[in-house]
Amino acid sequence: MTETPDIDAYPARSTDKLRYCDTDRQGHVNNAVFATFLETGRVEILFDKAGGYADEGAAFVIARLELDFLSEVRWPGTVEIGTAVLDTGRSSVTLEQLVCQNGLPVARAKTIIVQMNETTRKSQPLSDKAVEQFQKYRKQVVSA
């Protein structure tokens, strides 16, 4: 994740409104709120118009989250979250996300989500349908 981030490369887009209570003593949005921004973006993919992609009796859980803070976010306003699928595994999907405020990147993240069987609490292979649906959200190559 070293190239200059570009929101146009992310096929799923969502926005979050900043709330006054999101701010901390320094006057910027608290770092913990960034995880909520990322959740907003993930939900756009995991529960899109085609429905939820988890199998019946299974749920998606976060196995890994890498989050880089690029700039502070200030209230009031909104943030835009771009989300893309980088890879699908046997029971997991890797997402890349970019958070922007006023068109400028403020954070980026890489998240590994695993489908977990709710009874056994173990990973469960993704269905062919889920793998196919995730392909719609592959990161786009943006030419300069």
Side-chain angles (χ1 to χ4, degrees):
M1 293 195 297
T2 58
E3 75 277 355
T4 303
D6 186 343
I7 194 78
D8 292 331
Y10 296 82
R13 301 277 188 64
S14 51
T15 59
D16 258 350
K17 181 180 179 180
L18 301 174
R19 301 171 303 160
Y20 177 75
C21 66
D22 292 338
T23 61
D24 59 20
R25 288 178 43 154
Q26 289 77 35
H28 58 242
V29 172
N30 185 277
N31 64 74
V33 176
F34 283 72
T36 303
F37 299 155
L38 299 174
E39 177 186 57
T40 297
R42 280 194 310 274
V43 168
E44 293 291 321
I45 286 182
L46 297 176
F47 301 97
D48 77 359
K49 293 175 183 148
Y53 296 153
D55 292 338
E56 187 173 331
F60 286 107
V61 296
I62 297 175
R64 181 175 176 87
L65 172 63
E66 298 174 35
L67 175 56
D68 296 320
F69 299 99
L70 306 175
S71 182
E72 64 184 351
V73 173
R74 295 220 168 248
W75 175 88
T78 60
V79 291
E80 183 177 18
I81 305 106
T83 305
V85 169
L86 289 182
D87 191 29
T88 52
R90 185 182 73 80
S91 61
S92 66
V93 59
T94 302
L95 304 177
E96 182 178 286
Q97 295 179 278
L98 182 67
V99 181
C100 294
Q101 185 179 39
N102 301 321
L104 300 174
V106 295
R108 64 189 307 185
K110 183 176 169 183
T111 309
I112 299 174
I113 308 291
V114 175
Q115 180 173 245
M116 177 193 72
N117 181 291
E118 292 179 312
T119 301
T120 66
R121 312 305 280 178
K122 304 283 185 195
S123 65
Q124 177 174 314
L126 297 169
S127 69
D128 291 340
K129 178 185 174 193
V131 171
E132 180 182 320
Q133 293 297 329
F134 285 136
Q135 297 312 307
K136 296 186 308 186
Y137 295 104
R138 285 282 187 180
K139 191 171 179 187
Q140 306 300 309
V141 176
V142 179
S143 56

